[in-house]
Every structure is written in structure tokens, then in C-alpha cells.
């Protein structure tokens, strides 16, 4: 069985049409395709398709199934798992369990529901109408962050103490963590590992959608930097609502001037990003015409693998090791670096990631950092107290 090709379409109001056209294009090329609305509170995708999407996938046309994520059901499932674990304690306190009909999905549950849906896909192509870019980046970062919290709060090594729990409890005079806590940790780690594997799979990519008339390109740089911080690069940038080339020849000087400025902006965007820049026009009225304009007869853009983060050995020349982090689009003003023990905390505006230092750098002190052409270089000097002599 071949791995699923997953395309996360994220952006502004044009994203539903791009997601639908992408799924339609894949299905008509013979791929079993699933179109999933993961963040569509106003049912924009329903309007694009002309059908009402439900949590259960239904056939839209040959080879293409469509559905939406049921946040409420996902929350009820998670809450049910937790309350079942807490039932003995609730009974002891005389507290009543909440009825499933009383439960209302909390903010952020959409991220969890999306992460649970990705590993479940078994089609050739999964196209997801994903949350807006900032929310999507947060969702992509979630498995790593939650695993880090689990490792800190319930370390895996402590599971070895389960057999000694009665003895330790008697010596300490306090009860040891219950068995369900360790079991829950193991189960949660497995779920997070599945989600992270789906996110980082070679066939998973992000496709960004921006309007032609909203001057979005400065914000697009921040989005690209946030994705890169978590190991992702957009496979394409779709600019929708582009004026036709004939507009430059319009007798209306205002329209002709606007068309020329938009063409120059597109050229600047194409020069500033290594991802393909695709366009849709204001007259693309049907999904078929949008798909034809975006992809033609080809398969569409392929996932762009992120540049590896490498450690450069400059010990002989400068007495330094340099860790190069590829962060295209990053702005020096948004950058924040903190060394904490064996970790480096990298902040880019609203986005933050805690990186474990490579083993050699753990025996070094930070000697400085620089950002040039989208590459962050952090310099490390060997700590004489920790570095092997000779």
C-alpha cells in the first residue's frame, strides 16, 4: 500500500476553492482522494461544493469523498476517556459525571481533531482545508510540544518504579501515582507519535493561499519562517484573484496601472520564495477552471524537503562550532534565542520551538549568533571544563 499524499491548504477566503480544486484534480487523475474540512466554521467549503458536508465521508464524484471534522464528537471522545479514568475519584468525592450532551467543545479542540484525522487517512491523496496559517503552525507543533510536556511531567523512566510503588509509598508516606497515569502516558505517547509521523511524512506538505489584492507578502514571510522553524516548507503559494494580462492594455489608466503593479508584485514574490507561485483569476468560476489554471495536466507541486540543520566544524580555524538553522523568511527583529541547559529555545514572533542541542554542542557555550539570507547561524565555543582535552 502506498503512503498517503497529504496536502494541507491554508490561507484566506480563497483557500476553500483551492482545496476543492486540488482534490478534484487529484481524483480526476485516478487517485482515491479524500477532501476534509478541518477548519471551516462558516461552511465555506459547503458553498464551493454545493453540498452539505457531514463527519461521515460521502462520495462527491468518482474517486472523491468529502467530509468535515466533527469537533464536538472529538471532544466528547476525549472527555469520555478522561472521565472514565477519573470515575473512582469522582465517586469517592460524591461528584456526578457530566452527561455527554452537556459537553461543549473547548477552544483548541480543532487542532487535536485534525492531528487525530491525519494518521487515519488511507486514500491516495488527502486534501485538508486547514486552519489559517498561524493556527496551522501551532497545530503542526503540537505533537512535539505535548510529548515534551509528558516527558517532563511523567518521565518514562518512572514507569520502572511501578513494581516498587507499594514499598515506596510506605517509605514516603504518600501515595504513588496510580497505574492509569502510566497507562495514559503510554497511550498518549503512541497517539502523538502517530500524529507526528503523519505530519513529517515525505508526502505531507503545506500549500499557502493568499489574495492578490491584500498586500500579503510581508505576512507571508513570517508564515514561511514559522513553518520552517518547525521543519516545514510550503510546496506552493497560490495567489488568487489575479487580474488578467489584458488588463495592462486597458484604456482605463487606473486599471492598467493596477495590473502592472500586481504583475511586479508577483514577480517580486516569485523571486523571494523557492516555492512555485501559482495563480487563479477573478473569472475562474468553476472548480474545473480553477484546477486547470493551477495544475493543467500535471500532478501539481511536490513537497519540498526542508534544508537539513547542520553543525559546521570551525575548530581548527576559529575554535568554534556553528549550528546552521534554515529559516527562510525570518526577520532579525522577530528573533529570540535563549540557551537553557542542553536546549536552545528559538522564538520567531509568535512561534517558539525548544530544540535539543546536538551532543557536541552540549559541551559548549554560546558565542554569538547571526541571521543572513534566511539562515540562522549560532556559534558555539568549547567549554574547557567539559571539552575533551587533546
Amino acid at each position: 500500500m502506498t503512503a498517503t499524499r497529504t496536502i494541507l491548504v491554508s490561507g484566506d477566503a480563497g483557500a476553500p476553492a483551492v482545496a476543492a480544486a486540488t482534490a478534484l484534480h487529484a481524483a480526476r487523475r485516478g487517485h482515491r482522494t479524500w477532501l476534509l474540512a478541518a477548519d471551516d466554521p462558516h461552511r465555506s467549503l459547503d458553498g464551493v461544493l454545493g453540498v452539505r458536508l457531514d463527519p461521515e465521508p460521502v462520495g462527491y464524484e468518482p474517486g472523491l469523498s468529502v467530509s468535515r471534522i466533527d469537533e464536538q464528537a472529538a471532544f466528547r471522545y476525549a472527555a469520555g476517556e478522561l472521565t472514565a479514568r477519573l470515575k473512582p475519584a469522582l465517586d469517592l468525592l460524591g461528584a456526578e459525571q457530566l452527561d455527554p450532551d452537556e459537553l461543549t467543545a473547548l477552544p483548541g479542540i480543532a487542532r487535536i481533531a485534525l492531528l487525530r484525522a491525519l494518521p487515519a487517512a488511507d486514500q491516495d491523496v488527502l486534501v485538508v482545508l486547514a486552519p489559517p496559517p498561524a493556527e496551522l503552525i501551532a497545530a503542526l507543533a503540537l505533537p512535539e510540544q505535548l510529548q515534551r510536556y509528558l516527558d517532563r511531567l511523567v518521565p518514562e523512566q518512572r514507569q520502572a518504579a511501578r513494581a516498587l510503588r507499594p514499598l515506596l509509598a510506605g517509605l514516603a508516606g504518600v501515595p504513588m501515582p496510580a497505574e492509569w497515569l502510566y497507562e495514559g502516558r503510554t497511550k498518549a505517547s503512541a497517539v502523538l507519535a502517530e500524529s507526528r509521523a503523519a505530519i513529517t511524512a515525505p508526502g505531507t506538505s503545506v500549500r499557502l493561499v493568499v489574495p492578490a489584492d491584500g498586500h500579503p507578502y510581508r505576512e507571508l514571510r513570517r508564515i514561511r519562517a514559522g513553518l520552517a522553524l518547525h521543519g516545514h516548507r510550503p510546496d506552493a503559494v497560490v495567489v488568487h484573484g489575479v487580474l488578467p494580462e489584458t488588463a495592462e492594455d486597458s484604456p482605463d489608466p487606473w486599471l492598467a496601472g493596477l495590473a502592472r503593479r500586481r504583475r511586479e508584485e508577483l514577480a517580486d514574490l516569485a523571486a523571494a520564495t523557492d516555492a512555485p507561485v501559482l495563480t487563479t483569476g477573478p473569472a475562474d468560476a468553476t472548480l474545473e477552471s480553477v484546477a486547470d489554471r493551477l495544475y493543467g495536466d500535471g500532478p501539481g507541486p511536490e513537497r519540498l524537503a526542508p534544508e537539513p540543520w547542520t553543525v559546521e566544524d570551525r575548530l581548527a580555524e576559529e575554535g568554534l562550532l556553528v549550528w546552521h538553522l534554515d529559516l527562510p523568511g525570518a526577520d532579525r527583529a522577530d528573533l529570540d534565542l535563549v540557551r537553557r541547559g542542553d536546549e536552545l529555545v528559538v522564538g520567531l514572533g509568535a512561534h517558539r520551538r525548544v530544540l535539543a542541542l546536538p551532543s557536541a554542542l552540549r559541551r559548549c557555550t554560546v558565542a554569538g549568533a547571526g541571521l543572513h539570507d534566511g539562515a540562522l547561524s549560532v556559534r558555539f565555543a568549547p567549554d574547557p571544563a567539559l571539552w575533551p582535552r587533546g
Side-chain angles (χ1 to χ4, degrees), residues 27-261:
R28 292 187 172 179
R29 288 179 60 83
H31 301 298
R32 295 181 303 114
T33 306
W34 178 21
L35 173 59
L36 176 65
D39 188 273
D40 191 19
H42 303 297
R43 291 187 171 269
S44 301
L45 189 56
D46 296 36
V48 170
L49 296 172
V51 299
R52 182 177 177 82
L53 300 182
D54 293 314
E56 190 66 27
V58 296
Y60 179 75
E61 70 166 45
L64 175 59
S65 298
V66 296
S67 67
R68 64 183 295 110
I69 282 180
D70 188 344
E71 297 178 22
Q72 188 70 19
F75 179 69
R76 287 177 178 174
Y77 174 81
E81 289 266 300
L82 180 61
T83 53
R85 296 288 188 180
L86 294 178
K87 186 178 186 303
L90 294 174
D91 291 343
L92 184 63
L93 296 172
E96 292 186 22
Q97 296 189 54
L98 291 173
D99 188 273
D101 292 333
E102 298 180 76
L103 299 175
T104 302
L106 297 175
I109 196 65
R111 300 180 191 176
I112 302 295
L114 171 60
L115 294 176
R116 291 184 66 90
L118 294 182
D122 61 355
Q123 287 76 12
D124 299 330
V125 179
L126 169 63
V127 180
V128 181
L129 176 57
E135 285 291 313
L136 176 60
I137 294 171
L140 296 176
L142 197 56
E144 180 178 288
Q145 292 172 342
L146 291 180
Q147 186 61 56
R148 173 181 168 78
Y149 298 154
L150 277 178
D151 292 342
R152 293 289 295 273
L153 297 174
V154 190
E156 189 173 8
Q157 295 85 345
R158 289 178 60 184
Q159 297 190 50
R162 285 181 293 185
L164 300 176
R165 186 162 59 250
L167 174 61
L168 295 174
L171 292 175
V174 295
M176 296 295 290
E179 183 75 17
W180 69 264
L181 179 61
Y182 295 114
E183 293 174 355
R185 184 223 191 272
T186 300
K187 183 176 181 180
S189 292
V191 171
L192 291 173
E194 286 183 352
S195 297
R196 191 171 182 186
I199 288 170
T200 59
T204 299
S205 64
V206 177
R207 197 159 297 175
L208 298 174
V209 182
V210 298
D213 59 355
H215 304 288
Y217 305 135
R218 183 180 298 275
E219 179 61 23
L220 184 60
R221 290 187 57 189
R222 296 190 179 96
I223 293 169
R224 291 176 58 223
L227 286 169
L229 178 61
H230 294 285
H232 303 277
R233 293 169 63 191
D235 65 5
V237 176
V238 179
V239 182
H240 73 90
V242 173
L243 292 173
E245 294 181 3
T246 55
E248 292 189 36
D249 300 324
S250 170
D252 183 342
W254 179 86
L255 179 59
L258 177 63
R260 284 192 293 271
R261 289 196 299 274

